Amino acid sequence: MVKEIERAGIPVVHICTIVPISLTVGANRIVPAVAIPHPLGNPTLSKDDEKKLRRGIVEKALKALQTEVHGQTVFDK
Amino acid sequence: MIKIVHYINQFFAGIGGEEKADIKPELREGIVGPGMALKAAVGNEAEIVATVICGDSYFNENLETAIKEILEMVKKYNPDLFIAGPAFNAGRYGVACGTICKEVQDKLGIPAVTGMYIENPGADIFKKDVYILSTANAATGMRQAVPAMAKLALKIVKKEAIGTPAEDGYLPRGIRKNLFREERGSKRAVNMLVAKLKGESFETEYPMPDFDRVAPNQPVLDIAKAKIALVTSGGIVPKHNPHRIESSSASKFGKYDIAGVMDLTEEAYETAHGGYDPVYANLDADRVLPVDVLRDMEKEGVIGELHRYFYTTVGNGTSVANSKKYAAEIAQELIKDGVQAVILTST
């Protein structure tokens, strides 16, 4: 799906837990997520801390969308 | 007697479904689950001495630890052969089978074989490193897959000559072998061309690799003015799944209006996805589709606007062809609506 959206000309960032799968399907901007059943959350945290964690991941995704890349790039910092 | 260690996931071990996908590696003596069929297939030539069971989510989320733990377990039995799966079209299971087979081969020097459906992401990642028997896309293909896997595995361990992918039923590994043919190349090429012109079937001798890569688009220049859309393969839908998107092999995608929705609440949203434990997403769907955070960012002026609709489907077992089709349709709508960037989330 990521690749088809990219093909249509829209920059796209893939937030996903299993990065090797994202690499093999051909996503260009990849942000690693937390866990399979809760990629953008962590139920062991308080609501506030969980939202902060989620915001952190979305911020990375926005940074990825604003970064020029020349090939597949994993934004894990 | 050839000693085999068999690797399976929590589901095939009969421990449980997605709610048990986080179990740690466990070692059992002898046969478990599909090991029965494997035992029948190897007959008197080999014996399954132990079975390693691991939850699919645990394996993929704790790759390094899981590999270490499992290698220790396998080492204890010093087997002649390692067999994983078959995983059919189960994505995380396929990646686990491929990963552990490669590790067992490379680190322990024990030949390893697995089986999966050609569209399993594990197939693409590991087909060059590991013999992967080509199976059907669902466990209904067990009866065909296991004997073929056993046959190939025994050939490998006995160092017999392995046939071509077509002969021995494994996924092509990209290996070329020199051989002599009766007819010279020019003649074979012309024969192929004639067959092609007549509309007859022919088999190429050098299939072109399928490098379907798309170059990255230019970045978003002014994110504070950009309209951003959310898309997910994680199956987030309004409560009760109004369009009945299937829990696996989805035949459609959904488009839902989130104008005025500040937060995906337990009362209003859930997941339709059948390939992961739905508890956490059902309690708070923002854990898969971060609407709450993007609304905050919209208010603060970090982003221009969150697009009025989100698009969703279930990635579980859905064919590559369908996924492509849905995304192509979604992309056309997004372009028409002036969306400048997409955040796509996957579980």
Short mmCIF file of all heavy atoms in Angstrom, two decimals, chain B residues 273-309:
data_model
loop_
_atom_site.label_atom_id
_atom_site.label_comp_id
_atom_site.label_asym_id
_atom_site.label_seq_id
_atom_site.Cartn_x
_atom_site.Cartn_y
_atom_site.Cartn_z
N HIS B 273 -9.17 -6.27 12.48
CA HIS B 273 -8.02 -7.11 12.09
C HIS B 273 -8.01 -8.41 12.88
O HIS B 273 -8.11 -8.40 14.10
CB HIS B 273 -6.75 -6.31 12.36
CG HIS B 273 -5.53 -6.76 11.61
ND1 HIS B 273 -4.92 -7.96 11.84
CD2 HIS B 273 -4.80 -6.16 10.63
CE1 HIS B 273 -3.86 -8.07 11.05
NE2 HIS B 273 -3.77 -6.99 10.31
N GLY B 274 -7.86 -9.54 12.21
CA GLY B 274 -7.83 -10.82 12.89
C GLY B 274 -6.44 -11.38 13.09
O GLY B 274 -6.28 -12.50 13.55
N GLY B 275 -5.42 -10.58 12.75
CA GLY B 275 -4.06 -11.11 12.79
C GLY B 275 -3.23 -10.62 13.96
O GLY B 275 -2.03 -10.84 14.00
N TYR B 276 -3.83 -9.91 14.89
CA TYR B 276 -3.12 -9.56 16.12
C TYR B 276 -4.14 -9.48 17.24
O TYR B 276 -5.34 -9.39 17.00
CB TYR B 276 -2.32 -8.26 15.97
CG TYR B 276 -3.11 -7.00 15.74
CD1 TYR B 276 -3.56 -6.21 16.80
CD2 TYR B 276 -3.41 -6.56 14.44
CE1 TYR B 276 -4.27 -5.03 16.58
CE2 TYR B 276 -4.12 -5.39 14.22
CZ TYR B 276 -4.55 -4.63 15.28
OH TYR B 276 -5.26 -3.48 15.07
N ASP B 277 -3.64 -9.51 18.48
CA ASP B 277 -4.53 -9.46 19.64
C ASP B 277 -5.24 -8.10 19.66
O ASP B 277 -4.60 -7.06 19.79
CB ASP B 277 -3.68 -9.65 20.90
CG ASP B 277 -4.53 -9.75 22.15
OD1 ASP B 277 -5.73 -9.44 22.07
OD2 ASP B 277 -4.00 -10.13 23.20
N PRO B 278 -6.57 -8.08 19.50
CA PRO B 278 -7.29 -6.82 19.32
C PRO B 278 -7.54 -6.03 20.62
O PRO B 278 -8.03 -4.90 20.57
CB PRO B 278 -8.63 -7.26 18.72
CG PRO B 278 -8.85 -8.63 19.28
CD PRO B 278 -7.47 -9.24 19.43
N VAL B 279 -7.20 -6.59 21.76
CA VAL B 279 -7.56 -5.98 23.04
C VAL B 279 -7.12 -4.51 23.13
O VAL B 279 -7.91 -3.63 23.45
CB VAL B 279 -6.96 -6.80 24.21
CG1 VAL B 279 -7.14 -6.07 25.54
CG2 VAL B 279 -7.61 -8.18 24.28
N TYR B 280 -5.84 -4.26 22.80
CA TYR B 280 -5.28 -2.91 23.01
C TYR B 280 -5.86 -1.89 22.03
O TYR B 280 -6.12 -0.75 22.39
CB TYR B 280 -3.75 -2.97 22.89
CG TYR B 280 -3.17 -4.09 23.72
CD1 TYR B 280 -2.76 -5.28 23.14
CD2 TYR B 280 -3.10 -3.96 25.10
CE1 TYR B 280 -2.27 -6.32 23.90
CE2 TYR B 280 -2.61 -4.99 25.88
CZ TYR B 280 -2.20 -6.18 25.28
OH TYR B 280 -1.72 -7.21 26.04
N ALA B 281 -6.07 -2.33 20.78
CA ALA B 281 -6.64 -1.41 19.79
C ALA B 281 -8.12 -1.15 20.08
O ALA B 281 -8.62 -0.06 19.85
CB ALA B 281 -6.47 -1.98 18.39
N ASN B 282 -8.82 -2.15 20.59
CA ASN B 282 -10.23 -1.95 20.90
C ASN B 282 -10.42 -0.98 22.08
O ASN B 282 -11.37 -0.22 22.11
CB ASN B 282 -10.91 -3.29 21.23
CG ASN B 282 -11.14 -4.12 19.97
OD1 ASN B 282 -11.09 -3.59 18.86
ND2 ASN B 282 -11.40 -5.40 20.14
N LEU B 283 -9.48 -1.02 23.02
CA LEU B 283 -9.56 -0.10 24.17
C LEU B 283 -9.25 1.32 23.74
O LEU B 283 -9.84 2.27 24.22
CB LEU B 283 -8.59 -0.53 25.27
CG LEU B 283 -9.01 -1.75 26.09
CD1 LEU B 283 -7.87 -2.17 27.01
CD2 LEU B 283 -10.26 -1.43 26.90
N ASP B 284 -8.29 1.47 22.83
CA ASP B 284 -7.88 2.80 22.39
C ASP B 284 -7.29 2.69 20.98
O ASP B 284 -6.11 2.36 20.82
CB ASP B 284 -6.83 3.37 23.38
CG ASP B 284 -6.42 4.79 23.01
OD1 ASP B 284 -6.91 5.31 21.99
OD2 ASP B 284 -5.61 5.37 23.76
N ALA B 285 -8.10 3.00 19.98
CA ALA B 285 -7.68 2.82 18.59
C ALA B 285 -6.60 3.82 18.17
O ALA B 285 -5.94 3.64 17.15
CB ALA B 285 -8.87 2.89 17.65
N ASP B 286 -6.39 4.87 18.98
CA ASP B 286 -5.28 5.79 18.70
C ASP B 286 -3.94 5.06 18.75
O ASP B 286 -2.95 5.55 18.20
CB ASP B 286 -5.26 6.93 19.72
CG ASP B 286 -6.47 7.84 19.59
OD1 ASP B 286 -6.61 8.49 18.54
OD2 ASP B 286 -7.29 7.88 20.53
N ARG B 287 -3.91 3.92 19.41
CA ARG B 287 -2.67 3.13 19.48
C ARG B 287 -2.28 2.58 18.11
O ARG B 287 -1.14 2.14 17.93
CB ARG B 287 -2.86 1.95 20.45
CG ARG B 287 -2.85 2.38 21.89
CD ARG B 287 -3.32 1.26 22.80
NE ARG B 287 -3.15 1.62 24.20
CZ ARG B 287 -3.83 1.06 25.19
NH1 ARG B 287 -4.71 0.10 24.94
NH2 ARG B 287 -3.63 1.43 26.42
N VAL B 288 -3.24 2.56 17.18
CA VAL B 288 -2.93 2.12 15.82
C VAL B 288 -3.03 3.30 14.85
O VAL B 288 -2.25 3.41 13.91
CB VAL B 288 -3.87 0.97 15.39
CG1 VAL B 288 -3.61 0.57 13.94
CG2 VAL B 288 -3.71 -0.24 16.31
N LEU B 289 -4.00 4.17 15.09
CA LEU B 289 -4.26 5.30 14.18
C LEU B 289 -4.25 6.57 15.03
O LEU B 289 -5.23 6.88 15.71
CB LEU B 289 -5.63 5.09 13.52
CG LEU B 289 -5.88 5.84 12.23
CD1 LEU B 289 -5.06 5.23 11.10
CD2 LEU B 289 -7.35 5.78 11.86
N PRO B 290 -3.13 7.32 15.01
CA PRO B 290 -2.93 8.37 16.02
C PRO B 290 -3.73 9.66 15.78
O PRO B 290 -3.17 10.74 15.62
CB PRO B 290 -1.42 8.64 15.93
CG PRO B 290 -1.07 8.32 14.52
CD PRO B 290 -1.98 7.19 14.10
N VAL B 291 -5.03 9.57 15.77
CA VAL B 291 -5.88 10.73 15.52
C VAL B 291 -5.73 11.76 16.64
O VAL B 291 -5.61 12.96 16.39
CB VAL B 291 -7.36 10.30 15.37
CG1 VAL B 291 -8.29 11.51 15.36
CG2 VAL B 291 -7.56 9.48 14.10
N ASP B 292 -5.68 11.30 17.90
CA ASP B 292 -5.62 12.26 19.02
C ASP B 292 -4.40 13.17 18.92
O ASP B 292 -4.52 14.39 19.01
CB ASP B 292 -5.68 11.51 20.37
CG ASP B 292 -4.54 10.50 20.58
OD1 ASP B 292 -3.81 10.21 19.61
OD2 ASP B 292 -4.38 10.02 21.72
N VAL B 293 -3.24 12.57 18.67
CA VAL B 293 -2.01 13.35 18.58
C VAL B 293 -2.03 14.31 17.40
O VAL B 293 -1.64 15.48 17.51
CB VAL B 293 -0.80 12.38 18.49
CG1 VAL B 293 0.43 13.10 17.98
CG2 VAL B 293 -0.52 11.74 19.85
N LEU B 294 -2.54 13.84 16.26
CA LEU B 294 -2.56 14.71 15.08
C LEU B 294 -3.55 15.86 15.26
O LEU B 294 -3.33 16.96 14.74
CB LEU B 294 -2.87 13.90 13.82
CG LEU B 294 -1.64 13.10 13.35
CD1 LEU B 294 -2.05 11.98 12.41
CD2 LEU B 294 -0.63 14.02 12.65
N ARG B 295 -4.63 15.64 16.01
CA ARG B 295 -5.54 16.74 16.33
C ARG B 295 -4.84 17.80 17.17
O ARG B 295 -4.99 19.00 16.93
CB ARG B 295 -6.77 16.21 17.08
CG ARG B 295 -7.78 15.50 16.21
CD ARG B 295 -8.44 16.43 15.23
NE ARG B 295 -9.46 15.74 14.46
CZ ARG B 295 -9.71 15.95 13.18
NH1 ARG B 295 -9.02 16.86 12.52
NH2 ARG B 295 -10.66 15.29 12.56
N ASP B 296 -4.08 17.34 18.18
CA ASP B 296 -3.32 18.30 18.99
C ASP B 296 -2.38 19.11 18.11
O ASP B 296 -2.28 20.34 18.23
CB ASP B 296 -2.47 17.56 20.05
CG ASP B 296 -3.33 16.93 21.14
OD1 ASP B 296 -4.54 17.25 21.21
OD2 ASP B 296 -2.79 16.11 21.92
N MET B 297 -1.70 18.41 17.21
CA MET B 297 -0.72 19.07 16.35
C MET B 297 -1.38 20.05 15.40
O MET B 297 -0.81 21.08 15.04
CB MET B 297 0.07 18.03 15.57
CG MET B 297 1.01 17.21 16.45
SD MET B 297 1.81 15.93 15.48
CE MET B 297 3.33 15.74 16.39
N GLU B 298 -2.59 19.70 14.99
CA GLU B 298 -3.36 20.58 14.11
C GLU B 298 -3.69 21.88 14.86
O GLU B 298 -3.51 22.99 14.34
CB GLU B 298 -4.66 19.84 13.74
CG GLU B 298 -5.45 20.43 12.61
CD GLU B 298 -6.69 19.56 12.32
OE1 GLU B 298 -7.30 19.02 13.27
OE2 GLU B 298 -7.05 19.43 11.14
N LYS B 299 -4.14 21.71 16.11
CA LYS B 299 -4.47 22.88 16.94
C LYS B 299 -3.26 23.77 17.18
O LYS B 299 -3.36 24.99 17.14
CB LYS B 299 -5.02 22.39 18.30
CG LYS B 299 -6.51 22.70 18.47
CD LYS B 299 -6.98 22.41 19.88
CE LYS B 299 -6.89 20.92 20.20
NZ LYS B 299 -7.30 20.54 21.54
N GLU B 300 -2.13 23.11 17.43
CA GLU B 300 -0.91 23.86 17.73
C GLU B 300 -0.26 24.46 16.48
O GLU B 300 0.71 25.20 16.58
CB GLU B 300 0.12 22.93 18.39
CG GLU B 300 -0.31 22.41 19.75
CD GLU B 300 0.47 21.16 20.15
OE1 GLU B 300 1.58 20.95 19.62
OE2 GLU B 300 -0.04 20.39 20.98
N GLY B 301 -0.77 24.09 15.32
CA GLY B 301 -0.19 24.62 14.09
C GLY B 301 1.06 23.88 13.63
O GLY B 301 1.78 24.35 12.76
N VAL B 302 1.32 22.71 14.22
CA VAL B 302 2.48 21.91 13.79
C VAL B 302 2.23 21.38 12.38
O VAL B 302 3.13 21.39 11.52
CB VAL B 302 2.73 20.74 14.76
CG1 VAL B 302 3.88 19.87 14.27
CG2 VAL B 302 3.01 21.26 16.17
N ILE B 303 1.01 20.93 12.15
CA ILE B 303 0.62 20.53 10.78
C ILE B 303 -0.50 21.45 10.31
O ILE B 303 -1.16 22.10 11.13
CB ILE B 303 0.14 19.05 10.72
CG1 ILE B 303 -1.11 18.83 11.59
CG2 ILE B 303 1.25 18.11 11.12
CD1 ILE B 303 -1.85 17.53 11.32
N GLY B 304 -0.69 21.48 9.00
CA GLY B 304 -1.75 22.34 8.48
C GLY B 304 -3.12 21.78 8.86
O GLY B 304 -3.93 22.44 9.51
N GLU B 305 -3.34 20.52 8.47
CA GLU B 305 -4.68 19.97 8.63
C GLU B 305 -4.62 18.44 8.58
O GLU B 305 -3.84 17.88 7.81
CB GLU B 305 -5.51 20.51 7.44
CG GLU B 305 -6.94 20.06 7.40
CD GLU B 305 -7.62 20.49 6.10
OE1 GLU B 305 -7.07 21.32 5.34
OE2 GLU B 305 -8.71 19.96 5.84
N LEU B 306 -5.45 17.80 9.41
CA LEU B 306 -5.62 16.35 9.29
C LEU B 306 -6.77 16.14 8.31
O LEU B 306 -7.85 16.70 8.49
CB LEU B 306 -5.94 15.72 10.65
CG LEU B 306 -6.26 14.22 10.67
CD1 LEU B 306 -5.08 13.40 10.14
CD2 LEU B 306 -6.62 13.75 12.07
N HIS B 307 -6.52 15.34 7.29
CA HIS B 307 -7.54 15.11 6.26
C HIS B 307 -8.82 14.57 6.88
O HIS B 307 -8.78 13.79 7.83
CB HIS B 307 -6.98 14.14 5.21
CG HIS B 307 -7.90 13.90 4.05
ND1 HIS B 307 -8.56 14.92 3.41
CD2 HIS B 307 -8.29 12.75 3.43
CE1 HIS B 307 -9.30 14.41 2.43
NE2 HIS B 307 -9.15 13.09 2.43
N ARG B 308 -9.93 14.99 6.31
CA ARG B 308 -11.24 14.69 6.87
C ARG B 308 -11.56 13.19 6.94
O ARG B 308 -12.36 12.74 7.74
CB ARG B 308 -12.27 15.41 6.01
CG ARG B 308 -13.67 15.10 6.39
CD ARG B 308 -14.65 15.99 5.70
NE ARG B 308 -15.98 15.61 6.19
CZ ARG B 308 -17.05 16.31 6.00
NH1 ARG B 308 -16.99 17.44 5.32
NH2 ARG B 308 -18.20 15.89 6.47
N TYR B 309 -10.96 12.41 6.06
CA TYR B 309 -11.25 10.96 6.03
C TYR B 309 -10.00 10.16 6.33
O TYR B 309 -8.90 10.54 5.93
CB TYR B 309 -11.75 10.54 4.64
CG TYR B 309 -12.98 11.29 4.21
CD1 TYR B 309 -12.87 12.42 3.39
CD2 TYR B 309 -14.25 10.86 4.62
CE1 TYR B 309 -13.99 13.12 3.00
CE2 TYR B 309 -15.38 11.57 4.23
CZ TYR B 309 -15.25 12.69 3.42
OH TYR B 309 -16.37 13.39 3.04
#
